Amino acid sequence: MINFLLKRVATGIVLIYVVLTLIFLMLHAVPGDPAMQLLAGDGAAQVTPAALEAARERLGLNAPLPVQYWNYLAGAVQLDLGTSFQDGAPVLDLVSERLPNTLELVLLAVLIALAVGIPLGSVAARRGGFVDSAISVGTSIGMSVPVYVVGALFVLLFALKLGWFPAGGYEEAGGNFVGHVSRVVLPAAALSFGIASIIARMTRSAILDNYRQDWVRTARSWGIGRRLVFRKHVLRNSLTPVATVTALQIGTLLGSTVLVERIFNWPGISALLVDSVIERDYPVVQGIVIILSAIFIFINILVDVLYGYLDPRARVS
Amino acid sequence: MSTTIVQKSPKKVTVSAALKRAFTPVRLAAAVMVLVFILVMILAPLIAPADPLEQNIAMRFAPLGTPGYLLGADELGRDVLSRVIFGIRTELLVALSATLVAMVIGTVLGLVAGYFGGIIETLSMRGVDVILAFPPIIIALLATTLYGPGPGTLIAVMGVLFIPAFARIVYGQTLSVGRAEFVEASEVFGARVFVRLFRVILPNVIAPVFVQFSLTMATAILLESGLSYLGLGIVPPAPSLGTMVAEGQRYMSTEPAALLVPGTIVSLTILGFSLLGDALRDWLDPRR
Amino acid sequence: MSAPSISPLLQVRDLSVTFDAGTNNLQVTDGVTFDISNGETLALVGESGSGKSVTAMSILNLLPHNARASGSVQYKGRELIGLAERQLDKVRSQDIAVIFQDPMTALNPVYTIGQLLADALRSRKLSKAHLRRRSLELLDHVGIPEPQRKIDQYPHQFSGGQRQRAMIAMAIASNPGLLIADEPTTALDVTVQAEILDLLIALQRENDMGILLITHDMGVVADVADRVNVMRHGRILEAADTLPIFEAPKHDYTRELLAAVPKLGTVSHPRHDFEELPAHRTPSLSFRDVVVEFPTRLRRPPFRAVDKVSFDVFPGEVVGLVGESGSGKSTLGRVAVGLQAIAAGHARICGTDLLTASRNDIRQVRREAAIVFQDPASSLDPRMTIGQSVAAPLKWNGLVTQRQALAKRAHELLDMVRIPSDWASRYPHELSGGQRQRVGIARALSLQPKVMVADEPTSALDVSVQAAVLDLLRELQASLGFSCLFISHDLAVVEMLSDRVVVLRSGQIVEQGPTGTVLAEPTDDYTRKLVAAAPVPDPIMQAWRREQRLLASSA
């Protein structure tokens, strides 16, 4: 088990290194002068030579390529992600200030999705018939309505029309707890909409799949009762694929915060990312991409460990 | 016990029966919808009633059903129906191109990795793992910052991002099919590598690729419209459904249709492709 | 074991099972009637599709949800058909237990053996300590070594035989009055099979337990059954005590079935006189100190699947390669057609050394060597018609390219294996297992090979089909004169076909020689054990063999 863990962590570190390198290469694959492209986009005329030179200096673009690469990696290892073009603040400070807000949103969304998706999928699989069809159509819709449409509809319905929740914004949990909770519920629910549907479908198909397994018949032959057969020999075995699919969806979920934080004015890292893309603040964009990828890789390691716990056969290899 | 039942039941399930079971009424409707969307994509310039960019401030927020403005007009008085038609065209063209790129690369990669194993397998499948290490929309945002927004960037980024979806499926299938005795038999009986890969294995692993194609189309539209919603995908004023939702959202408290019309259409395109994918899976996968 | 038949343990009357398959209902069994008494073993025998397993599973309603059983099943006078699930659970947990065919898939992989036993013992409501003690007792009782350690292992960490023992422990946990054993030894090697059957009989004697044994294997029936019911197409055709069934079968089908079973020790002459084969002829297949290794995990020595094996197959000769699973026999077959690289030694096909051969040489030599695989379901490309499959080798080797010539050749080849040539446009899934295997043989003949490797060609088939395929293979070999490496785990089948036999164990040859000598008077201990463990479809002989075996093991 320890070996397995070390191996996974080592793979994760290699993966983060490769990700860093790819991001570096993406910057240098920009046609022409990266600094020019970053400052001006297509309208090159408005850029003063002084500003261009400043940007090149900031990005370290004047050094030879291997030196740039080395400095970049060394910076990343020391968690020095550069400074913002906008106000010169260290990117790490900007990120660490806002990261907890995004993680709160994602965590809550995953919990809601699991709490809704697993029971929904179980009911669909066990009831069959009309209930199954209805849930199937429902989850199809849940997977298909884009998160920004869901978010906008939630604001329209629950905030503007019904007035149950504020339309957005943020309140410190320490200061006004009720205000904090009332502001996190809508964005988290919007975020969980799609993934809950995916979890429900996976749960349903895994349960149906496991019901067909020989060991279910064996357990039935021991006369331990229908409920126990379902809980211990069907549902328990279905958790493995559900965990896998949930983990895979966390990447999408992290991405969706980009849209949700904007709609609900939630001061997370993803809202900062979008603002920085619009402001062409490259160091901040790069820093956030690195941090979010690292988080995603870390979550996948956690899930692999969970997988080993859920399925003993995975532990050996 | 199961063998007994299988032996007894008629072996050959007729194609039409399997089709009927896979294409429930809802899914059939979805398939028709996808067909309509594809026709709209091809025929957009012919069927759009007006220029999607032409403004007529007098018709600002014309309601649904206004003569000449079947789906109403937006805040600048542009015909929403025409904008929707051209929006669908852009959306699908971008998604289709990206998905095709990903499918071709991913399928070949998975096939080669699964059959040859060894260093080829390690390199290609670890490469695929690396792509999966990026949250998709985030990497698209990075690319947009670097290379500027627009359909070209979108197709390139999504074309790469969706490779793993195809590569992993084909890889897994090839691993199991490649070990099947009929593939070994083809080797013993003299089939060359190219024949084994593309004539013997590929036809036996291609069904899930079609399924994945449909599902990936849905994901591509989702991603593309999301970026457009942020103003970082298809750049306004070019019509795109994502942009229309973003614009509609600003006026939604007084003009809900401005949000609901493009929101519904974009949801329907995604729903269509994902239901079609489900139907294809049930049809092509005999186990279900 | 004739028990007083006043009130049998289990009384089955007119049992019919119907599967609800959408629009049409499928009747799988029809009016099945039998009794089982305490301490008695009743065998339900039949080929696939006979409805024997469905009958057994319907007793405890362990059928899929779309199955309906009608008729009567009484256990100690209590009706089980139509009993509420909760009541039935009581019967399952206290009175009747089941062991299933494949213990790999029949045990939930996410629990330890101890946790599974706890489920099986649930109705006892034991304390934690008591539960563990009882579990250890049970594992010890069914002959699992080191129960203290094994109890906390997962099913995948057990060998096949140990898994089946563990499942038996779970079944007897409740001291059942009746044990239903559904093909309990089919997935196991013969030597392991013998041990499991011994265990079942010992357990039966202890508790005076009735056993309903479902099997397709007449040897197993002869070994352990008191009475036999022969089933076909969902009906019982013949029911009698074991001895009369074998000595004077009444029903035609029973007679056919018994005639189709190859019997070890009944082929008296080798087909060729081995001594007459000129020793100076070049062998068509020659192995010298062949070693095959498979890589294991990093920094561990590779696994040796074949270890310094040397033997020859001369032109026109059939050599039987015998061994249990893991003996390396299939690996050697793959070496013979160039599918498996060797680590050391020399493997020559018609004079070409595979170790030094170029890629092109191997292509050339493969025209001389063909293979028939074990599983006819997976050895034909499901997307090719059988005509295409059969003629494909000619196309792939560039020998025949014209479409019409290919079709003509396909017809000729199908003719040779007696498949109607107008079936050429059918797909493999439209054929039965035996027909598919004939197509596999036709394909192997397409390049007119000098050597044919037949890797367990009949072990996936029913006995009656197996007999026909073996006859065909023998005829073709005699008329076309190819040499054949015949791989099988079934000694009786090997005896039927082979001139010489090579016995493999864990990658090494333990004995080789003329078929009659090796199988009738084995000199090696392992060969002797193998011959002794193979059940013979003759109750009297089998009783004697069992006695000998038990004496040998107790000595």
Side-chain angles (χ1 to χ4, degrees):
Chain A
M1 198 63 195
I2 288 291
N3 250 335
F4 174 73
L5 202 68
L6 286 177
K7 224 185 212 167
R8 286 301 298 136
V9 170
T11 322
I13 290 170
V14 172
L15 216 48
I16 288 176
Y17 164 74
V18 176
V19 164
L20 285 171
T21 304
L22 280 177
I23 291 173
F24 180 79
L25 290 177
M26 277 180 77
L27 173 64
H28 288 273
V30 167
D33 184 349
M36 175 67 89
Q37 164 74 17
L38 286 174
L39 283 183
D42 297 327
Q46 307 130 7
V47 181
T48 65
L52 192 63
E53 189 48 40
R56 299 179 63 86
E57 195 63 40
R58 267 297 224 335
L59 291 168
L61 288 174
N62 289 325
L65 207 59
V67 175
Q68 284 185 38
Y69 183 53
W70 174 253
N71 288 341
Y72 163 80
L73 285 183
V77 169
Q78 296 160 37
L79 286 177
D80 174 7
L81 299 169
T83 54
S84 160
F85 278 174
Q86 293 306 116
D87 52 10
V91 172
L92 188 68
D93 292 356
L94 291 173
V95 168
S96 49
E97 189 186 315
R98 286 171 162 235
L99 185 58
N101 295 343
T102 297
L103 291 183
E104 180 187 355
L105 211 53
V106 169
L107 191 69
L108 197 58
V110 171
L111 290 179
I112 295 174
L114 288 171
V116 174
I118 293 180
L120 213 58
S122 310
V123 168
R126 299 186 74 182
R127 286 283 169 80
F130 173 75
V131 174
D132 188 19
S133 307
I135 291 178
S136 164
V137 171
T139 52
S140 291
I141 294 173
M143 283 163 62
S144 301
V145 184
V147 67
Y148 55 88
V149 175
V150 176
L153 287 175
F154 275 16
V155 171
L156 181 61
L157 192 65
F158 297 113
L160 301 183
K161 297 285 180 211
L162 297 172
W164 291 354
F165 298 97
Y170 179 77
E171 193 93 39
E172 284 290 342
N176 176 357
F177 188 73
V178 176
H180 177 82
V181 170
S182 70
R183 280 173 177 80
V184 78
V185 167
L186 272 192
L191 204 53
S192 71
F193 208 71
I195 185 172
S197 303
I198 292 173
I199 289 174
R201 303 186 112 207
M202 195 63 206
T203 307
R204 174 188 177 272
S205 77
I207 285 175
L208 290 179
D209 221 41
N210 278 313
Y211 255 126
R212 280 194 288 265
Q213 298 295 330
D214 284 354
W215 65 70
V216 173
R217 193 175 52 173
T218 310
R220 284 177 68 202
S221 82
W222 295 332
I224 58 176
R226 235 177 234 181
R227 290 173 64 183
L228 212 55
V229 168
F230 175 74
R231 198 161 55 79
K232 290 187 76 174
H233 296 276
V234 177
L235 191 60
R236 166 69 178 77
N237 290 73
S238 306
L239 290 181
T240 317
V242 170
T244 311
V245 90
T246 309
L248 276 174
Q249 287 304 315
I250 287 179
T252 313
L253 209 58
L254 276 174
S256 299
T257 55
V258 164
L259 296 155
V260 169
E261 289 182 5
R262 200 170 153 83
I263 294 169
F264 291 93
N265 226 346
W266 184 259
I269 192 175
S270 302
L272 179 63
L273 174 64
V274 177
D275 292 341
S276 306
V277 172
I278 292 168
E279 303 288 350
R280 307 194 147 277
D281 194 343
Y282 183 73
V284 180
V285 174
Q286 177 185 277
I288 293 176
V289 172
I290 292 173
I291 295 288
L292 286 180
S293 302
I295 289 174
F296 187 38
I297 290 169
F298 176 71
I299 289 171
N300 272 303
I301 294 176
L302 278 187
V303 171
D304 270 0
V305 174
L306 179 71
Y307 197 89
Y309 171 75
L310 287 175
D311 188 347
R313 283 168 302 181
R315 262 172 245 171
V316 201
S317 52
Chain B
M1 178 186 71
S2 57
T3 54
T4 330
I5 302 156
V6 171
Q7 288 283 340
K8 273 265 168 179
S9 65
K11 272 254 155 154
K12 197 179 171 189
V13 182
T14 54
V15 176
S16 64
L19 262 177
K20 215 181 265 174
R21 209 175 314 139
F23 283 86
T24 57
V26 174
R27 287 169 173 179
L28 198 65
V32 171
M33 212 156 66
V34 166
L35 201 69
V36 170
F37 284 132
I38 288 175
L39 283 177
V40 168
M41 176 191 87
I42 298 168
L43 303 173
L46 298 177
I47 56 174
D51 181 345
L53 301 180
E54 193 189 287
Q55 304 180 4
N56 180 0
I57 219 72
M59 296 307 289
R60 192 167 191 261
F61 291 126
L64 268 66
T66 309
Y69 294 87
L70 216 55
L71 286 181
D74 68 3
E75 77 275 15
L76 296 174
R78 295 172 294 195
D79 177 31
V80 170
L81 178 60
S82 302
R83 288 183 69 71
V84 162
I85 286 174
F86 274 91
I88 290 173
R89 179 185 172 88
T90 332
E91 216 99 90
L92 285 196
L93 274 178
V94 169
L96 206 59
S97 318
T99 309
L100 273 174
V101 169
M103 181 183 78
V104 172
I105 300 177
T107 303
V108 172
L109 221 54
L111 204 57
V112 168
Y115 189 64
F116 292 109
I119 188 79
I120 299 176
E121 174 186 8
T122 311
L123 282 180
S124 43
M125 293 324 283
R126 288 298 84 78
V128 162
D129 284 350
V130 169
I131 299 176
L132 283 176
F134 293 103
I137 204 170
I138 306 290
I139 207 68
L141 283 174
L142 178 67
T144 308
T145 320
L146 288 171
Y147 310 119
T153 308
L154 283 175
I155 292 172
V157 172
M158 295 200 298
V160 173
L161 280 176
F162 295 145
I163 288 175
F166 292 97
R168 288 197 149 185
I169 284 177
V170 175
Y171 170 72
Q173 289 277 313
T174 306
L175 272 190
S176 63
V177 171
R179 250 187 254 125
E181 289 177 337
F182 70 85
V183 177
E184 296 203 316
S186 73
E187 189 180 348
V188 173
F189 293 113
R192 287 173 190 275
V193 171
F194 188 84
V195 173
R196 292 205 294 272
L197 275 179
F198 293 98
R199 290 289 174 80
V200 180
I201 298 179
L202 188 61
N204 282 289
V205 301
I206 200 74
V209 173
F210 293 143
V211 175
Q212 190 59 40
F213 188 91
S214 198
L215 298 177
T216 302
M217 279 296 291
T219 314
I221 298 172
L222 200 60
L223 184 55
E224 186 272 345
S225 68
L227 286 171
S228 298
Y229 171 85
L230 292 173
L232 299 167
I234 305 296
V235 192
S240 105
L241 297 172
T243 319
M244 290 173 74
V245 172
E247 285 162 358
Q249 200 190 333
R250 265 182 265 150
Y251 307 97
M252 68 183 174
S253 54
T254 50
E255 302 288 338
L259 169 73
L260 292 177
V261 170
T264 308
I265 300 284
V266 72
S267 302
L268 283 179
T269 51
I270 298 167
L271 184 65
F273 278 102
S274 89
L275 284 176
L276 179 65
D278 289 346
L280 287 176
R281 184 181 43 221
D282 287 357
W283 176 38
L284 297 171
D285 183 354
R287 279 177 306 141
R288 280 160 209 279
Chain C
M1 301 227 160
S2 49
S5 58
I6 308 145
S7 129
L9 186 66
L10 186 80
Q11 190 175 22
V12 176
R13 290 290 173 273
D14 218 13
L15 179 64
S16 300
V17 178
T18 309
F19 280 88
D20 185 10
T23 48
N24 53 330
N25 286 349
L26 223 61
Q27 187 160 19
V28 187
T29 68
D30 182 15
V32 172
T33 294
F34 59 82
D35 292 337
I36 301 176
S37 309
N38 279 339
E40 182 188 49
T41 302
L42 174 74
L44 272 187
V45 189
E47 297 186 292
S48 51
S50 62
K52 57 188 191 301
S53 283
V54 171
T55 302
M57 289 306 130
S58 62
I59 293 171
L60 284 178
N61 191 20
L62 293 173
L63 293 167
H65 290 295
N66 63 338
R68 299 274 165 278
S70 64
S72 158
V73 173
Q74 291 189 0
Y75 178 79
K76 290 186 177 165
R78 184 178 184 201
E79 181 60 50
L80 301 184
I81 296 286
L83 203 61
E85 186 75 7
R86 194 166 292 225
Q87 302 296 315
L88 205 53
D89 269 339
K90 249 189 193 144
V91 178
R92 289 170 182 158
S93 65
Q94 288 167 7
D95 300 319
I96 306 179
V98 192
I99 53 177
F100 299 93
Q101 175 170 355
D102 183 355
M104 185 72 228
T105 61
L107 295 177
N108 192 339
V110 307
Y111 295 111
T112 63
I113 295 296
Q115 287 168 326
L116 290 170
L117 266 168
D119 264 358
L121 282 165
R122 180 162 293 270
S123 65
R124 301 280 121 138
K125 299 197 169 64
L126 301 173
S127 71
K128 221 169 177 185
H130 195 167
L131 179 71
R132 190 168 174 93
R133 205 166 57 232
R134 176 79 183 119
S135 301
L136 288 171
E137 266 171 34
L138 281 165
L139 289 179
D140 188 53
H141 199 66
V142 297
I144 288 181
E146 297 181 78
Q148 288 280 5
R149 192 169 63 85
K150 301 297 269 186
I151 192 171
D152 293 319
Q153 289 190 347
Y154 291 92
H156 71 266
Q157 294 168 294
F158 275 47
S159 71
Q162 284 175 342
R163 267 197 295 270
Q164 192 58 282
R165 283 174 192 273
M167 188 148 66
I168 293 174
M170 291 161 204
I172 61 162
S174 54
N175 286 320
L178 177 70
L179 181 69
I180 299 172
D182 184 11
E183 300 270 12
T185 57
T186 307
L188 305 174
D189 280 328
V190 271
T191 50
V192 183
Q193 161 169 296
E195 290 166 12
I196 296 290
L197 292 176
D198 291 347
L199 172 65
L200 283 178
I201 291 192
L203 292 171
Q204 174 175 41
R205 297 218 168 118
E206 273 169 36
N207 295 347
D208 204 22
M209 186 168 67
I211 293 183
L212 175 62
L213 177 72
I214 314 301
T215 184
H216 68 282
D217 188 331
M218 280 298 188
V220 171
V221 173
D223 194 9
V224 299
D226 299 310
R227 286 191 301 122
V228 184
N229 283 2
V230 181
M231 279 192 81
R232 190 190 199 187
H233 300 328
R235 282 164 212 253
I236 292 182
L237 298 183
E238 182 167 4
D241 284 351
T242 304
L243 206 55
I245 281 273
F246 282 88
E247 293 197 328
K250 290 204 181 65
H251 200 281
D252 284 347
Y253 176 69
T254 316
R255 234 168 281 146
E256 277 167 39
L257 204 59
L258 283 168
V261 183
K263 294 171 195 65
L264 187 61
T266 53
V267 183
S268 46
H269 313 287
R271 293 185 312 115
H272 301 281
D273 193 345
F274 180 64
E275 306 301 323
E276 279 177 20
L277 281 172
H280 60 268
R281 284 172 73 181
T282 28
S284 17
L285 194 64
S286 164
F287 291 122
R288 281 291 167 277
D289 296 322
V290 168
V291 174
V292 178
E293 290 181 335
F294 292 113
T296 46
R297 278 194 275 163
L298 274 133
R299 286 190 296 274
R300 288 210 194 148
F303 170 70
R304 243 180 206 212
V306 174
D307 190 9
K308 291 192 180 160
V309 164
S310 306
F311 69 91
D312 296 319
V313 182
F314 288 96
E317 191 188 26
V318 180
V319 171
L321 197 54
V322 183
E324 296 188 291
S325 52
S327 63
K329 57 186 191 305
S330 284
T331 308
L332 270 175
R334 291 164 53 81
V335 169
V337 289
L339 276 177
Q340 174 64 53
I342 60 177
H346 296 280
R348 289 194 182 81
I349 306 176
C350 305
T352 309
D353 194 332
L354 289 177
L355 194 63
T356 55
S358 71
R359 201 176 269 264
N360 225 7
D361 288 343
I362 290 186
R363 269 181 67 82
Q364 283 303 317
V365 86
R366 274 185 183 151
R367 292 195 190 172
E368 315 288 348
I371 184 165
V372 178
F373 288 100
Q374 168 172 2
D375 183 2
S378 78
S379 66
L380 297 174
D381 189 336
R383 311 245 160 204
M384 282 191 188
T385 66
I386 60 171
Q388 286 170 336
S389 271
V390 162
L394 297 164
K395 191 167 116 190
W396 290 332
N397 281 289
L399 300 176
V400 181
T401 47
Q402 257 197 309
R403 187 177 290 231
Q404 282 186 329
L406 279 171
K408 183 164 165 276
R409 200 63 196 112
H411 286 184
E412 288 166 12
L413 287 163
L414 290 175
D415 258 356
M416 288 173 79
V417 296
R418 289 184 216 119
I419 298 277
S421 54
D422 57 335
W423 285 21
S425 57
R426 296 193 181 187
Y427 285 90
H429 69 265
E430 298 172 65
L431 271 58
S432 72
Q435 288 162 347
R436 266 181 247 161
Q437 197 55 296
R438 284 165 190 271
V439 174
I441 294 172
R443 176 178 59 184
L445 295 174
S446 61
L447 297 175
Q448 295 167 317
K450 294 207 174 73
V451 187
M452 184 188 293
V453 175
D455 187 2
E456 301 258 15
T458 58
S459 48
L461 306 176
D462 279 329
V463 268
S464 56
V465 182
Q466 158 170 295
V469 171
L470 288 176
D471 282 343
L472 175 72
L473 207 55
R474 190 160 51 182
E475 268 172 50
L476 289 168
Q477 196 271 332
S479 62
L480 300 174
F482 51 81
S483 29
C484 180
L485 181 61
F486 188 87
I487 301 168
S488 180
H489 69 282
D490 188 332
L491 296 178
V493 167
V494 167
E495 187 186 40
M496 254 176 82
L497 259 81
S498 320
D499 304 307
R500 277 192 304 131
V501 175
V502 175
V503 184
L504 274 181
R505 184 195 194 183
S506 315
Q508 291 177 320
I509 294 185
V510 297
E511 187 166 1
Q512 61 172 314
T515 306
T517 322
V518 171
L519 296 185
E521 302 142 32
T523 54
D524 179 82
D525 273 351
Y526 177 70
T527 318
R528 232 176 268 149
K529 198 174 149 201
L530 215 53
V531 171
V536 173
D538 177 340
I540 297 176
M541 182 132 155
Q542 193 54 42
W544 178 78
R545 285 160 60 89
R546 162 171 291 278
E547 220 164 273
Q548 295 295 305
R549 198 175 69 226
L550 292 177
L551 275 177
S553 67
S554 61

